[in-house]
Amino acid sequence: MIAYTAVAVEMSSLPLMVFLFFPYAFLLKCTEQYHARLPSNITGLSDSCLRIPCEFEADSTQMNNGKIFVFWVKTTHSIQVPANVVYNGTTNMTKGFSHIEITGNLGKNDCTTVFYNVMKNHSDNYYFRVEIEPQQWYFSYTNPVYISVSDIPQAPMLKPSNLQEVMEESTVNLSCSAEAPCPSQPPNITWSYIPEYANITTQLLEKPNLMQSVISLMTFKASYKDNRKNISCIVSYLRNTSNDSTVETNMLLNVLFPPKETNIIISPSASVPIGTNVTLTCKSTANPSDKMNYTWYKCGEEKQLIFGESLFFNADTKNAGLYFCKAENELGNQTSEGIQLVVENAAALESLYLIIGCVGGVSVFLFLFLLVTLFLRMRRVKSFVERETDTDQLHEKPVQISTVYANAAFLESEEPEMPNAKNDIVHYGEIDFSSPQIKSTTAQSSGQETTIYAEVCNRISEHMNMNDLIQ
């Protein structure tokens, strides 16, 4: 607890005659005491400002009838050493500091002062003094404020510093406070971990000792997800430098809760052949976790199987089925979802593989046969197209064939007879191979059988086409 006391050690200047004729009244004046309320010590951050809260007592009559001036003196309360006077209110003089400002209302006994751009060499005792003119009243207070200037800010205060045990779903209130020595550059407070649905408020407060601080309050409902989370209250101070100063305070959340996220892990897999070594492991999250109990169940069996985190067995057809596990601690329990174990029969599996192999082989053979058939069919189609193309070209190109003359009777007889010059009249026909039409010519002679001659170009052409198709 900081004590705030002050005693006036200098008295008003009174004429010597008053002392001679009124010695008793002078003694009363000398023994009269006035107090100033100052913090006994205060810490400032270098390259920043420093606010010194101050309240003082004085004769109200003198204050109402005069003008008040404030002095700040370092090392000693006496102003006899001018070098110790860092601020003179009568002349508004500042020495050793870039600037000193009285921000309080002196008429209301508020002497709050701000020292700007404090440095480490400013660390010292500082005394407060009041002068009232024209009455020539002056009061120097013997209790100083010790100013300590540091390059590193003070670490924030986090409450509670360590949550021993917090039940799940209970409300948690955390507070982080940081000194605010410079009101124009208050610190900024952030949290490293913010639980879900947390509510955060930050404000600047004045403490009972008149010092200011920034406080951040975080309220949330504890969840099992918050357990073992490290929460840091991080404070950043602005300074008249290129880099800010950051400090932090940590705490560890300890949330108690029943089992959560209970599930089964199966190894090597959920489908195994007979004879395989199978391991079922029950996993769950809980706090406390050092006294967890695990119970195993199988669907279709009334009683529990075994106690323990893991279940081991050599796979058999009897082991196939749906398994469950239950995790339990002193706060409650939770049952996992079921996991189906399939145990495969080796002989049946081998037959299945054989059937699959046969079906696969037949499918491959049919596929290859289909490919060969399609290939041959495509070759035939291609050959036919080529022949048709050649035939079209043959019809388009005129065929030049010499004119052939033949007697129809000669064509029908194996041994043609030579015509008689006297009795027979020979008729000739012209065969033109360039025309597919059949032309006939009839000649008559008196008293003779008519002989018919015809062109055979068309028959020869048909004979040639038939040969092409046979080839």
Side-chain angles (χ1 to χ4, degrees):
M1 187 70 181
I2 301 175
Y4 298 88
T5 57
V7 179
V9 296
E10 298 187 30
M11 62 179 178
S12 307
S13 58
L14 298 173
L16 182 58
M17 187 179 295
V18 175
F19 175 75
L20 292 176
F21 291 97
F22 304 98
Y24 182 72
F26 181 77
L27 290 175
L28 289 176
K29 190 68 176 179
C30 284
T31 57
E32 187 175 3
Q33 296 180 354
Y34 297 96
H35 304 274
R37 189 182 181 192
L38 293 168
S40 59
N41 58 77
I42 188 172
T43 301
L45 186 61
S46 60
D47 296 306
S48 183
C49 70
L50 179 62
R51 174 182 175 272
I52 302 176
C54 176
E55 293 179 353
F56 68 95
E57 293 178 357
D59 190 295
S60 58
T61 302
Q62 298 296 331
M63 292 180 60
N64 294 333
N65 296 327
K67 189 173 183 179
I68 305 172
F69 297 95
V70 172
F71 290 74
W72 285 98
V73 185
K74 72 174 183 178
T75 308
T76 177
H77 65 273
S78 176
I79 62 173
Q80 300 303 321
V81 183
N84 291 340
V85 180
V86 297
Y87 179 75
N88 186 340
T90 58
T91 61
N92 200 23
M93 180 272 297
T94 300
K95 184 187 299 182
F97 290 86
S98 62
H99 182 54
I100 295 178
E101 179 183 7
I102 307 299
T103 59
N105 188 346
L106 296 178
K108 295 183 179 180
N109 303 91
D110 185 356
C111 50
T112 300
T113 307
V114 178
F115 289 64
Y116 290 92
N117 198 30
V118 295
M119 306 300 292
K120 291 191 70 175
N121 58 359
H122 291 150
S123 299
D124 206 333
N125 284 315
Y126 289 82
Y127 295 83
F128 174 68
R129 174 184 173 88
V130 174
E131 291 187 0
I132 304 177
E133 292 183 354
Q135 286 78 6
Q136 296 295 317
W137 267 41
Y138 46 89
F139 304 93
S140 293
Y141 299 88
T142 58
N143 60 312
V145 53
Y146 182 78
I147 295 178
S148 176
V149 182
S150 174
D151 293 332
I152 302 175
Q154 296 181 7
M157 183 177 295
L158 184 58
K159 293 182 179 180
S161 59
N162 187 18
L163 293 176
Q164 297 297 326
E165 291 181 354
V166 177
M167 291 297 299
E168 184 185 23
E169 300 298 326
S170 64
T171 300
V172 179
N173 295 304
L174 298 180
S175 67
C176 178
S177 59
E179 297 294 333
C182 181
S184 61
Q185 296 176 323
N188 181 43
I189 298 179
T190 57
W191 298 88
S192 63
Y193 174 76
I194 300 177
E196 189 175 10
Y197 306 117
N199 182 38
I200 300 176
T201 58
T202 303
Q203 54 185 332
L204 180 66
L205 298 178
E206 187 173 275
K207 299 188 292 186
N209 61 357
L210 304 181
M211 297 294 294
Q212 289 184 337
S213 64
V214 175
I215 183 169
S216 179
L217 300 175
M218 182 166 66
T219 303
F220 61 94
K221 185 173 290 186
S223 167
Y224 77 97
K225 297 179 180 180
D226 301 326
N227 184 47
R228 308 303 297 173
K229 295 294 185 181
N230 187 42
I231 295 183
S232 298
C233 170
I234 306 170
V235 180
S236 299
Y237 286 88
L238 297 177
R239 303 169 64 182
N240 299 325
T241 60
S242 58
N243 297 323
D244 299 338
S245 295
T246 302
V247 288
E248 64 180 67
T249 301
N250 305 317
M251 66 165 296
L252 189 65
L253 286 176
N254 186 17
V255 182
L256 303 178
F257 60 95
K260 305 283 185 181
E261 301 177 357
T262 305
N263 63 91
I264 298 175
I265 299 176
I266 187 169
S267 177
S269 67
S271 179
V272 295
I274 292 177
T276 304
N277 292 324
V278 178
T279 302
L280 301 179
T281 304
C282 188
K283 292 294 183 180
S284 184
T285 300
N287 187 29
S289 59
D290 53 345
K291 295 181 180 180
M292 290 280 290
N293 294 322
Y294 300 93
T295 308
W296 289 92
Y297 300 90
K298 184 181 178 183
C299 186
E301 297 185 11
E302 297 181 358
K303 63 179 181 179
Q304 61 210 23
L305 299 179
I306 194 174
F307 293 98
E309 184 176 2
S310 297
L311 182 64
F312 307 93
F313 54 83
N314 188 270
D316 193 283
T317 54
K318 297 180 180 180
N319 300 130
L322 191 64
Y323 288 84
F324 301 87
C325 75
K326 182 175 71 173
E328 184 177 8
N329 68 356
E330 61 187 32
L331 300 177
N333 62 77
Q334 186 183 47
T335 301
S336 70
E337 293 185 358
I339 186 169
Q340 183 72 39
L341 176 63
V342 178
V343 179
E344 302 166 347
N345 189 309
L349 188 62
E350 183 178 354
S351 300
L352 179 61
Y353 289 158
L354 181 60
I355 294 173
I356 293 174
C358 293
V359 173
V362 172
S363 300
V364 172
F365 174 77
L366 292 176
F367 179 72
L368 294 176
F369 177 78
L370 179 61
L371 288 179
V372 173
T373 304
L374 289 175
F375 177 73
L376 295 176
R377 180 65 178 170
M378 289 178 66
R379 288 193 61 182
R380 290 197 188 100
V381 172
K382 182 178 179 182
S383 177
F384 178 77
V385 171
E386 290 177 352
R387 286 197 299 271
E388 289 293 326
T389 303
D390 293 340
T391 303
D392 293 341
Q393 292 177 355
L394 181 61
H395 287 170
E396 292 176 0
K397 185 176 180 181
V399 179
Q400 296 180 359
I401 303 176
S402 299
T403 302
V404 178
Y405 298 93
N407 191 311
F410 176 78
L411 293 175
E412 294 177 357
S413 176
E414 294 181 356
E415 295 180 358
E417 297 180 359
M418 296 300 294
N420 190 337
K422 295 181 178 181
N423 300 324
D424 296 333
I425 299 175
V426 178
H427 296 274
Y428 298 92
E430 184 179 5
I431 301 174
D432 187 357
F433 289 94
S434 63
S435 175
Q437 298 178 357
I438 300 175
K439 297 180 182 180
S440 62
T441 303
T442 305
Q444 293 183 357
S445 178
S446 60
Q448 299 291 332
E449 182 181 357
T450 302
T451 303
I452 300 174
Y453 298 91
E455 293 182 1
V456 296
C457 180
N458 191 42
R459 292 183 178 179
I460 295 173
S461 177
E462 292 178 357
H463 181 70
M464 294 176 63
N465 292 339
M466 184 62 68
N467 289 337
D468 291 337
L469 292 176
I470 295 174
Q471 291 177 359

